[in-house]
């Protein structure tokens, strides 16, 4: 029979679908490819069965296989030990020839192993079973080189000596493979060696020998990294050594797992890992702990003598000590906090190793769907039955060994048992240690408070102490009290002692830890409540924010403890402390909000001088607002700074929004009751305008999305909508109180003449919509069609001042913000809002990203000129932008447009046409590198499949050219084995390679459409746009698309670069394989139409062979790939546009952004890419604003591009302190020019018609507060007449309203 590799055995890895967003065409292609491969595999199986039938019928005339069932029955009953009868003399001659070659010739081992394997697989002979005799470990001690007299030797002794020699050779290779750094290559080579050993010896003996090799390697590792314990040992250094050892140990376990999983049964693999690694490290730890306990016991004995002579000063110390008469087992002794911390970190290392091994073994047991204990790790008393995985590729496995179910040895990692001796001291000392360090820290905090000059609390950044947590970033505190951070950090180090509890030995430790934690939680809460009482008489408001943030931090910590410990107890452990902290947080949040509102009401806004409305002298000549409003603005700026730098982002926004809403309600009420004199009326207008402008600047900080900013009416119950309501009420007060009497009279008096007016429920009911439009000549038609009156629309107040006050906020009719507005909204948030960040990056066709790319290029150039700076941060930013946009499947046009314009500006088209594949190019451009990695990842499965075909030992053609069998050995082979010399096969090697090349080229061409279908839409859209730019210059692109061209180029470059092949597949190719891969590259390049130096006859034969078998198939596949690479990308954009044009456009847009953010964050490094872009945008906020302003419709020359500030995390780690002088400068110069506001020319004819539907009570009250209604004011006769008419107007409303209420 020929080589088995000639049969088609294709597969499709569905993991590539996780990186894409397939459309209808892509799914059709993917499923079509799967169906086609299933059909090919079925045809190959059928062909193989027919060949087996033909072979058996030819060689065994007595056995006739007529059906497929007959063939399977033969295979089931096939016994490999039945080999043809060989004359004794012929067998002795063959074995002696082998022995002589091994004795007298060098480097013949590989050739002999290949020959034996070839004879065993092709000649129906089975050497290990036929000639087996001596055991692996009890072979003859006679050396191969000492054999002199062959006459007395029999077959068994000669074969044992041959096996011994080959064993030594293979064992030496196995040991040398441990020095290889490439893990994947090491696994592949070890797999080959072990399979060759299994050919010569039984599995049990091979595993024992390999286990011995690995034990020596592990012993060396433990000897170097597992230091012995002494009284002078540095515990921190020892902990670091143990953690490093556990990581290396897991790497070794993972390598051997991947090496043995395809060779051995699951039970054998589990047993090997347990006995080789886990038992060994457990034994070493037991020795260490025995020495550790002995030294601790001796120290405790000395301490007992000293302690007995003095009073018990140290609380709990005597309780933890025992007399020397205690039994040797379960001895008790004292453990200090440092020793407990050391043991806890040691246990943590074991927990991590156990978890990693569990996840590793999960792959076996999930694939077998085996009922089992915790991921294959079980207690010794709990044995389960697992399904044995049959090894169909090993002929040595007997049929009785292939039973579907058998008892297997589960992995018993008994590391907890070695801690039993130290568990009792840990249980006794953990409570004392936790109480001691918490009491000490609390006492230290009290001492510092009593000695401090101020009551300001000592804060610490949470980022420095926060470790693995599942708390969302928006809920994580930024700063907390240092004493609490110290306590929780030490509790974190003790937590592994409780998490290790799975049997009785740790139950007491867990119970004591829970008890101690509850005491600590109570003590910390009492201290926080005590510090709250110092406010406001002694402590500043900042302390209240710190206490609130600290309480949230402790609450989250104990919630996390509860979740971790609940995995074993299945019930809440810290329910009471968590509830108490939640109540305290709610109370403290209300206290902060209430205090801020009361301060505004009773202190800040109490301004007798500014609010002396009866004064007959203008306030500062009417050119400045009230002092109280300026202080109100200062207060909110300071509150904003403190909340943003201390509290969790979400909580900070909630408090700030609530305080702003309630203070605006207070301001609206006060100004509605103001009754100013004539000279003070302009002050009302200036004050209200100031409030509205300040509110507009604060709205950016309280709105978490563009929709909340532009469409607050969609969030009726939201406080932001209430803020707009208060602003509209303030503006109503401004209009009714400060508008000219003649304009007010004209509006409301003419309204009664022009319209037939009816009063229902105190509001005007107008008829004649066209007349209303005529009357409101200055308003937009779209606005007059609104169901609600204009003054009740949320952004009405802003639209009225937008003519005078330039703002980035737009009316809802625009539907979106400008790029400057998006940037301002993003950077006004207290933290990084992922959804808002992505929306900002995609806004305006990626305008901000274009600026960042240009500037990063300047940064790279500047860093290149600076020899001292080796950090290429500009390239890192380009990579982050590429990775983020690469996964934005709903907006592929952004990726395409941004990077096509970048390629155009930097003139990189030549690089795109011929992407290099080597990973060792120092001068490679970052964008090209990212494209190369993306395309390489896409074709990795194709490369691995072809390299697997070409690997030595995987096909006949590679074996033909690997070793040459000497003539003397070839002649000694018994004729009964029907061995066909390789020279005979070499005559057909050209034909054999043609078949192999046809299969390899067919694999590439057949998988191209599916590879393209699985690529994300952004990359396809990018290459489609790029092709339009390049197709005129490159003739080759006419036959296939640019994307197809680059995929083929990448595949060819990988085949030509041995380093890349080894990195991707772990395989080290020989010269023959490299030459044949080069010919395959020539075939692929010929198919793509690339001009070579001359025609290659082998390539032409390969292509002709494919065309003869499947006419026009190559052209059809290339056409299909081109269609998928171009049409699918544009279809995605059309579908996205169609969705956004529907009725639910906003909801769909928010949903799509959220989906893309989730997709990015779930990719490796995705959240870090987003965070890096965000921090760079924050660092370069002013620069980005300048660039956007210069691009905003300006025809002038844009600003020059300059390098970016690239220092990350400086904004969060070093926030600037609140500076009131800076706030005053911004208030006076940038935000509010008070003298200019007094000169605003209000268009009352446009503003007043909006208030035709004003509530009659509101209009009456505000009319009475006008300066003309004051008794001591002097009015002209015309003004008196108009005033009387307006009074009568209100009277008519009142009487009409009363009539309506009297009706039954």
């Amino acid at each position: 029979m020929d080589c088995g590799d000639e049969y088609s055995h294709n597969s499709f890895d569905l993991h590539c679908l996780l990186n894409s967003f397939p459309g209808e065409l892509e799914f059709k292609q993917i499923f079509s490819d799967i169906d086609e491969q299933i059909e090919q595999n079925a045809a190959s199986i059928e062909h193989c069965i027919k060949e087996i039938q033909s072979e058996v019928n030819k060689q065994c005339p007595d056995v006739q296989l007529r059906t497929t069932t007959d063939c399977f029955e033969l295979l089931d009953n096939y016994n490999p030990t039945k080999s043809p009868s060989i004359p004794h003399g012929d067998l002795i001659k063959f074995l002696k020839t082998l022995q002589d070659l091994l004795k007298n010739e060098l480097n013949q081992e590989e050739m002999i192993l290949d020959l034996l394997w070839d004879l065993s697989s092709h000649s129906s002979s089975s050497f290990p079973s036929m000639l087996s005799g001596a055991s692996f470990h009890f072979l003859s001690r006679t050396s191969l080189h000492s054999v002199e007299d062959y006459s007395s030797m029999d077959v068994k002794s000669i074969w044992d000596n041959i096996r011994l020699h080959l064993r030594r050779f293979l064992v030496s290779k196995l040991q040398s493979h441990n020095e290889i750094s490439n893990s994947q290559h090491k696994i592949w080579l070890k797999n080959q060696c072990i399979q060759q050993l299994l050919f010569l010896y039984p599995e049990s003996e091979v595993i024992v020998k390999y286990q011995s090799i690995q034990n020596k390697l592990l012993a060396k590792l433990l000897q170097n990294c597992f230091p012995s314990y002494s009284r002078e040992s540095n515990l921190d250094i020892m902990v670091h050594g143990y953690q490093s050892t556990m990581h290396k140990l897991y790497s070794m376990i993972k390598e051997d797992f991947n090496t043995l999983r395809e060779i051995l049964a699951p039970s054998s693999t589990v047993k090997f890992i347990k006995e080789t690694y886990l038992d060994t490290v457990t034994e070493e730890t037991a020795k260490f702990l025995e020495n550790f306990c002995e030294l601790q016991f001796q120290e405790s004995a000395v301490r007992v003598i000293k302690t007995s002579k003095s009073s018990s000063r140290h609380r709990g110390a005597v309780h933890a000590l025992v007399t020397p008469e205690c039994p040797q087992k379960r001895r008790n002794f004292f453990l200090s906090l440092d020793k407990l911390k050391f043991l806890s970190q040691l246990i943590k290392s074991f927990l991590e190793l156990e978890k990693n091994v569990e996840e590793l073994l999960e792959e076996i047991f999930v694939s077998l769907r085996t009922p089992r204990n915790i991921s294959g790790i079980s207690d010794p008393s709990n044995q389960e039955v697992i399904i044995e995985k049959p090894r169909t590729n090993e002929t040595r496995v007997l049929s009785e060994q292939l039973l579907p179910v058998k008892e297997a040895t589960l992995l018993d990692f008994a590391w907890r048992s070695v801690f039993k001796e130290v568990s009792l001291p840990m249980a006794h000392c953990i409570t004392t240690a936790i109480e001691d360090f918490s009491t000490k820290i609390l006492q230290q905090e009290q001492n510092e408070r009593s000695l401090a000059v101020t009551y300001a609390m000592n804060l610490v950044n949470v980022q420095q102490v926060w470790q693995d947590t599942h708390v969302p970033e928006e809920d994580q505190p930024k700063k907390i009290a240092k004493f609490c951070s110290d306590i929780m950090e030490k509790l974190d180090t003790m937590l592994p002692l409780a998490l290790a509890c799975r049997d009785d030995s740790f139950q007491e430790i867990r119970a004591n830890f829970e008890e101690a934690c509850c005491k600590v939680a109570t003590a910390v809460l009492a201290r926080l409540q005590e510090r709250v009482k110092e406010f406001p008489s002694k402590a500043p408001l900042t302390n209240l924010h710190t206490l609130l943030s600290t309480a949230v931090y402790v609450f989250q910590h104990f919630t996390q403890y509860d979740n971790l410990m609940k995995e074993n107890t299945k019930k809440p452990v810290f329910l009471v402390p968590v509830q108490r902290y939640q109540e305290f947080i709610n109370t403290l949040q209300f206290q902060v909000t209430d205090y801020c509102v009361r301060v505004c009401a009773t202190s800040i806004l109490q301004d007798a001088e500014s609010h002396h409305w009866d004064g007959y002298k203008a306030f500062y000549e009417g050119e400045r607002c009230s002092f109280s409003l300026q202080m109100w603005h200062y207060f909110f700026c300071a509150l904003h700074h403190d909340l943003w730098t201390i509290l969790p982002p979400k909580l900070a926004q909630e408090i700030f929004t609530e305080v702003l809403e309630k203070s605006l309600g207070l301001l609206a009420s006060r100004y509605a009751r103001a009754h100013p004199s004539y000279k003070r009326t302009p002050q009302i207008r200036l004050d209200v305008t100031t409030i509205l402008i300040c509110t507009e600047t604060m709205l950016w900080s309280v709105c978490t999305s563009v929709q909340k900013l532009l469409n607050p009416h969609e969030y009726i119950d939201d406080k932001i909508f209430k803020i707009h309501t208060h602003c509209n009420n303030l503006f109503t007060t401004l209009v009714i109180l400060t508008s000219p009497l003649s304009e007010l009279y004209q509006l409301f008096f003419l309204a009664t003449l022009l319209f037939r007016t009816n009063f229902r429920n105190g509001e005007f009911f107008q008829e004649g919509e066209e007349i209303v439009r005529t009357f409101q000549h200055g308003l937009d038609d779209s606005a007059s069609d609104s169901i609600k009156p204009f003054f009740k629309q949320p952004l009405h107040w802003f639209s009225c001042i937008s003519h005078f006050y330039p703002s980035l906020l737009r009316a809802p009719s625009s539907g979106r913000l400008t790029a400057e507005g998006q940037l301002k909204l993003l950077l006004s948030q207290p933290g990084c809002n992922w959804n808002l960040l992505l929306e900002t990056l995609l806004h305006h066709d990626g305008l901000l990203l274009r600026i960042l790319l240009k500037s990063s290029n300047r940064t790279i150039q500047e860093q290149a000129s600076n020899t001292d700076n080796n950090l290429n941060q500009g390239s890192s930013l380009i990579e982050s932008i590429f990775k983020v946009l690469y996964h934005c499947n709903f907006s592929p046009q952004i990726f395409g447009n941004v990077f096509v314009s970048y390629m155009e500006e930097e003139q990189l088209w030549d690089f795109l046409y011929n992407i290099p594949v080597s990973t060792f190019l120092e001068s490679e451009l970052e964008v090209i590198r990212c494209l190369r990695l993306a395309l390489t990842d896409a074709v990795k499965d194709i490369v691995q499949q072809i390299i697997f075909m070409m690997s030595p030992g995987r096909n006949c053609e590679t074996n033909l050219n690997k070793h040459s069998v000497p003539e003397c050995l070839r002649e000694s082979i018994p004729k009964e084995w029907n061995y066909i010399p390789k020279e005979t096969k070499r005559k057909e090697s050209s034909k054999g390679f043609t078949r192999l090349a046809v299969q390899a080229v067919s694999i590439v061409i057949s998988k191209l459409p599916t590879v393209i279908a699985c690529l994300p839409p952004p990359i396809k859209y990018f290459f489609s746009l790029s092709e339009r730019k390049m197709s005129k210059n490159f003739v080759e692109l006419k036959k296939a698309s640019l994307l197809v061209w680059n995929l083929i180029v990448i595949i060819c470059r990988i085949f030509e670069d041995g380093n890349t092949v080894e990195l991707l597949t772990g395989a080290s190719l020989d010269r023959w394989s490299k030459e044949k891969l080069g010919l395959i590259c020539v075939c692929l390049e010929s198919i793509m139409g690339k001009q070579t130096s001359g025609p290659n006859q082998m390539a032409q034969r390969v292509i002709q062979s494919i065309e003869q078998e499947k006419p026009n198939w190559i052209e059809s596949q290339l056409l299909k790939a081109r269609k998928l690479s171009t049409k699918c990308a544009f279809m995605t954009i059309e579908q996205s546009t169609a969705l956004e044009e529907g009725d639910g456009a906003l909801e769909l847009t928010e949903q799509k952004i959220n989906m893309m953010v989730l997709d990015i964050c779930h990719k490796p490094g995705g959240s870090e890419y987003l965070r890096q872009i965000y921090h760079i945008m924050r660092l370069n906020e002013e620069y980005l604003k300048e660039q956007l302003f210069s691009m905003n419709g300006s025809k002038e020359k844009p600003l020059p591009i300059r390098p970016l500030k690239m220092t990350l995390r400086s904004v969060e780690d070093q926030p600037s302190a609140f500076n009131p002088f800076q706030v005053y400068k911004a208030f006076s110069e940038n935000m509010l020019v008070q003298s200019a506001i007094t000169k605003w020319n209000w268009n009352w004819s446009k503003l007043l018609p909006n208030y035709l539907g004003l509530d009659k009570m509101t209009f009456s009250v505000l009319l009475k507060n006008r300066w003309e209604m004051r008794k001591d004011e002097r009015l002209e006769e015309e003004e008196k007449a108009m005033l009387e008419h307006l009074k009568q107007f209100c009277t008519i409303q009142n009487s009409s309203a009363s009539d309506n209420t009297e009706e039954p």
Side-chain angles (χ1 to χ4, degrees), residues 630-652:
Q630 198 159 354
M631 293 306 299
W632 174 75
H633 177 256
Y634 287 161
F635 174 77
F636 268 91
C637 289
L639 179 65
H640 178 278
H641 176 272
D642 292 342
L643 294 177
W644 260 233
T645 55
I646 297 176
L647 286 174
K650 186 176 180 180
L651 182 59

Side-chain angles (χ1 to χ4, degrees), residues 1046-1089:
N1046 273 285
L1047 288 173
I1048 295 294
V1049 168
I1050 288 287
I1051 292 173
C1052 293
R1053 296 295 179 270
I1054 292 174
F1055 289 160
E1056 294 170 359
D1057 185 9
N1059 292 325
T1060 306
V1061 169
E1062 188 170 345
L1063 286 173
L1064 288 178
T1065 64
S1068 181
L1069 301 178
D1070 57 8
R1071 187 181 65 181
W1072 184 92
S1073 298
K1074 292 179 180 179
E1075 290 176 356
K1076 300 311 177 186
L1077 284 175
L1079 289 175
I1080 292 175
C1081 293
V1082 174
C1083 295
L1084 293 174
E1085 290 173 350
S1086 299
I1087 290 174
M1088 297 303 296

Side-chain angles (χ1 to χ4, degrees), residues 1022-1214:
F1022 166 77
F1023 277 100
S1024 297
L1025 290 182
S1026 301
E1027 186 176 348
R1028 299 178 182 181
K1029 301 277 186 180
M1030 300 173 57
S1031 58
K1032 297 179 181 179
N1033 301 327
F1034 301 100
V1035 181
E1036 291 88 346
L1037 297 181
K1038 295 180 180 179
K1039 190 169 185 179
S1041 66
L1042 180 62
L1043 179 55
V1044 176
W1045 170 266
N1046 273 285
L1047 288 173
I1048 295 294
V1049 168
I1050 288 287
I1051 292 173
C1052 293
R1053 296 295 179 270
I1054 292 174
F1055 289 160
E1056 294 170 359
D1057 185 9
N1059 292 325
T1060 306
V1061 169
E1062 188 170 345
L1063 286 173
L1064 288 178
T1065 64
S1068 181
L1069 301 178
D1070 57 8
R1071 187 181 65 181
W1072 184 92
S1073 298
K1074 292 179 180 179
E1075 290 176 356
K1076 300 311 177 186
L1077 284 175
L1079 289 175
I1080 292 175
C1081 293
V1082 174
C1083 295
L1084 293 174
E1085 290 173 350
S1086 299
I1087 290 174
M1088 297 303 296
K1090 185 175 181 181
Q1091 299 295 329
T1092 57
S1093 58
N1096 187 289
Q1097 294 182 355
M1098 180 69 74
Q1100 291 177 358
R1101 284 204 302 268
V1102 170
I1103 297 173
Q1104 288 174 2
S1105 178
I1106 298 175
E1107 288 294 337
Q1108 288 175 0
E1109 185 177 352
K1110 292 181 282 187
N1112 299 324
W1113 177 75
I1114 295 178
E1115 185 177 352
S1116 173
Q1117 288 294 107
L1118 293 178
L1119 184 62
K1120 189 186 300 182
R1122 182 182 183 89
K1123 180 180 178 182
L1124 286 166
S1125 64
T1126 55
K1127 189 173 181 180
C1128 291
F1130 289 99
M1131 283 181 62
T1132 304
I1133 298 174
E1134 291 172 2
Q1135 292 172 0
S1136 177
T1137 306
L1139 286 175
E1140 293 181 0
E1141 290 174 355
D1143 295 335
L1146 296 179
E1147 292 78 10
L1148 285 172
T1149 300
E1150 290 181 357
Q1151 182 183 12
K1152 287 189 290 185
I1153 289 175
N1154 188 50
M1155 290 176 63
M1156 288 190 290
V1157 168
L1158 290 176
D1159 189 31
I1160 293 170
C1161 291
H1162 282 111
K1163 295 294 187 296
S1167 57
E1168 292 302 320
Y1169 291 135
L1170 287 171
R1171 185 175 285 109
Q1172 182 187 20
I1173 296 173
Y1174 173 77
H1175 285 308
I1176 290 177
M1177 291 173 67
R1178 182 173 283 279
L1179 285 170
N1180 297 273
E1181 180 179 358
E1182 294 302 323
Y1183 168 68
L1184 293 176
K1185 287 179 179 178
E1186 293 173 1
Q1187 288 291 330
L1188 291 174
F1189 180 77
S1190 67
M1191 296 178 180
N1192 189 16
S1194 176
K1195 295 183 180 180
E1196 299 178 2
K1197 186 177 180 180
L1199 294 177
I1201 300 295
R1202 64 171 184 259
L1204 295 169
K1205 300 176 184 177
M1206 304 296 292
T1207 305
L1208 302 180
R1209 302 183 64 85
S1210 61
V1211 176
E1212 285 187 0
D1213 293 347
Q1214 299 176 359

Side-chain angles (χ1 to χ4, degrees), residues 845-859:
D845 201 24
L847 180 59
L848 275 168
L849 292 176
R850 296 168 192 261
I851 298 173
L852 289 174
L853 282 175
K854 293 179 183 178
S855 303
S856 64
N857 203 36
R858 287 296 306 275
T859 306

Side-chain angles (χ1 to χ4, degrees), residues 634-744:
Y634 287 161
F635 174 77
F636 268 91
C637 289
L639 179 65
H640 178 278
H641 176 272
D642 292 342
L643 294 177
W644 260 233
T645 55
I646 297 176
L647 286 174
K650 186 176 180 180
L651 182 59
Q653 275 185 315
E654 289 179 4
I655 294 176
F656 190 78
T657 305
E658 187 171 0
V659 174
L660 177 60
E661 183 266 318
K662 290 185 176 180
S663 65
L664 284 174
L666 182 65
L667 287 169
S669 175
R670 290 193 176 183
Y671 277 93
R673 294 196 303 267
H675 193 181
S677 63
Y678 173 73
K679 291 291 186 179
R680 289 286 182 143
T681 297
Q683 185 187 347
I684 293 286
R685 188 183 303 144
L686 181 56
D687 280 3
V688 171
T689 305
T690 301
I691 295 171
L692 297 180
I693 292 176
C694 292
T695 302
E696 187 273 340
T697 60
M698 289 185 279
L699 267 177
W700 299 92
S701 298
V702 301
C703 294
T704 57
S705 67
V706 176
Q707 302 310 319
K708 278 195 174 185
L709 187 66
L710 297 182
N711 302 292
H713 58 279
E714 295 182 359
Y715 307 87
I716 301 300
D717 297 330
D718 195 82
K719 295 186 181 299
I720 296 175
F721 182 80
K722 296 180 181 179
I723 290 174
H724 287 286
T725 301
H726 296 321
C727 290
N728 281 330
N729 292 339
L730 281 165
F731 197 76
T732 300
T733 301
L734 179 148
V735 170
I736 303 302
L737 284 187
T738 67
S739 60
L741 183 61
S742 59
E743 295 285 349
L744 188 65

Side-chain angles (χ1 to χ4, degrees), residues 903 908-918 921 924 928 931-932 935 1023 1030 1034 1037 1042 1045-1050 1052-1053 1056 1085 1090:
M903 301 280 290
L908 303 178
W909 297 121
D910 291 340
F911 294 96
L912 187 61
Y913 176 73
N914 197 4
I915 295 179
V917 76
S918 177
L921 295 178
E924 185 179 13
I928 302 301
L931 287 170
R932 171 177 60 81
L935 297 184
F1023 277 100
M1030 300 173 57
F1034 301 100
L1037 297 181
L1042 180 62
W1045 170 266
N1046 273 285
L1047 288 173
I1048 295 294
V1049 168
I1050 288 287
C1052 293
R1053 296 295 179 270
E1056 294 170 359
E1085 290 173 350
K1090 185 175 181 181

